[in-house]
Amino acid sequence: MSQSTSASASDPLARIAELPGVADAVADTRTLVDRLLGHRILRRRSSDVSMESALRGACASAALEGAEVSIDEIREGHVYDTRIKGALRVSGELGSLVGTWPKAPRQALARLHTLAAADAVSDDALGRPRIAGERVEDPLELGPAPAPETALARLEGLYSLLGVRTSVPALVMSALVHGELMSVRPFGWGDGLVARAAERLTLVERGLDPKSLVPSELGHQMLRDEYGPALRGYMGGTPEGVAEWVVYCCRAVRAGAQDSLATCEALKRG
């Protein structure tokens, strides 16, 4: 048995990391993120870059849900849309969930949804997986969501994977988390806000972006025309579709990292 085959057998996620194109995409993204993490301005302005990244990420995530709001309006406090309110709450509390995410992902997801949907759904639906007959929003036009019982089963599978000791890169795990949550759309409202936050949370918790400097949500907005098609490819379940989704997610993270590099340069110039 080859070393690669042996790794795949012992680590259920290794086969995804070994799909064509994935290793190169991960390496390219890691290089750019490391460049960001090494920027000199972070020695004294790291919190400023992180706060700007959080704001830009929240605005982008809400826009992907259909909200029409500019970042300037948010800075001025003109926030009325429930989606941007939810995105800002999620972004503001993401750091406090880093420790919870690997140990109690079910609890962390429930909290993310409660933050995202506080102004949009009834109190009894906050943090609770959807039940039969409840509407499922579909801003990315992904098509019908799986039945609630199927969604719950896949969520349990995701929780199990998050608890597995794995050597696969953070970018592979975060793409899988994002893809699974968008595929099952567990809550019916705000699933995109939750899925993109969970992707970012995974990147932070798994050490790629420990200071949460990369607005990966913004990367998805910048690549919006590719976002839905890439997700549908993942949902198809073929190795090719999964590989293309992971490569796409790497590109989105690179785009977010490039944006934060621009923020660093702007701060450097004063």
Side-chain angles (χ1 to χ4, degrees):
M1 182 182 287
S2 70
Q3 185 175 358
S4 175
T5 304
S6 177
S8 296
S10 61
D11 185 342
L13 298 178
R15 66 184 184 278
I16 297 176
E18 295 165 359
L19 289 171
V22 170
D24 287 344
V26 167
D28 289 347
T29 306
R30 179 87 219 199
T31 296
L32 187 61
V33 173
D34 285 347
R35 184 179 154 206
L36 168 64
L37 295 178
H39 199 287
R40 291 178 61 186
I41 199 71
L42 296 179
R43 296 175 189 174
R44 54 189 177 85
R45 303 290 296 275
S46 176
S47 61
D48 291 334
V49 178
S50 181
M51 287 174 61
E52 179 68 10
S53 171
L55 183 62
R56 294 170 76 81
C59 184
S61 197
L64 286 165
E65 292 297 289
E68 295 183 6
V69 62
S70 72
I71 198 161
D72 288 336
E73 289 176 307
I74 295 175
R75 292 190 204 282
E76 294 166 4
H78 303 314
V79 178
Y80 309 106
D81 191 298
T82 56
R83 291 160 293 192
I84 188 61
K85 287 182 180 179
L88 289 168
R89 283 192 297 265
V90 167
S91 185
E93 198 165 317
L94 205 62
S96 68
L97 294 172
V98 173
T100 306
W101 184 228
K103 300 172 186 176
R106 182 185 287 102
Q107 177 184 335
L109 276 184
R111 181 59 183 163
L112 285 174
H113 185 253
T114 298
L115 293 165
D119 299 318
V121 303
S122 60
D123 288 348
D124 71 305
L126 290 174
R128 167 183 60 70
R130 58 185 166 86
I131 57 178
E134 290 185 331
R135 176 183 170 85
V136 179
E137 301 290 336
D138 188 18
L140 294 177
E141 299 181 351
L142 300 176
E149 58 271 22
T150 303
L152 276 176
R154 286 184 64 172
L155 274 182
E156 291 298 327
L158 178 60
Y159 299 149
S160 296
L161 284 177
L162 286 166
V164 169
R165 292 179 62 86
T166 178
S167 60
V168 303
L171 285 155
V172 173
M173 178 61 85
S174 63
L176 178 66
V177 166
H178 187 167
E180 278 297 292
L181 290 174
M182 288 302 294
S183 296
V184 305
R185 281 158 279 169
F187 301 107
W189 193 99
D191 291 306
L193 298 177
V194 171
R196 289 182 290 274
E199 176 186 41
R200 185 163 180 170
L201 190 57
T202 304
L203 293 172
V204 173
E205 188 274 321
R206 302 259 166 169
L208 181 85
D209 179 26
K211 295 182 179 179
S212 195
L213 301 171
V214 180
S216 48
E217 310 96 327
L218 179 60
H220 291 297
Q221 186 191 24
M222 294 167 71
L223 300 174
R224 185 169 191 158
D225 289 346
E226 301 174 45
Y227 188 20
L231 264 172
R232 286 190 287 273
Y234 175 85
M235 291 164 63
T238 65
E240 294 80 11
V242 173
E244 288 172 6
W245 167 248
V246 176
V247 170
Y248 159 81
C249 285
C250 286
R251 292 178 55 229
V253 172
R254 284 204 300 277
Q258 193 67 58
D259 186 76
S260 283
L261 274 169
T263 297
C264 288
E265 288 299 311
L267 289 172
K268 182 181 173 183
R269 291 190 300 270

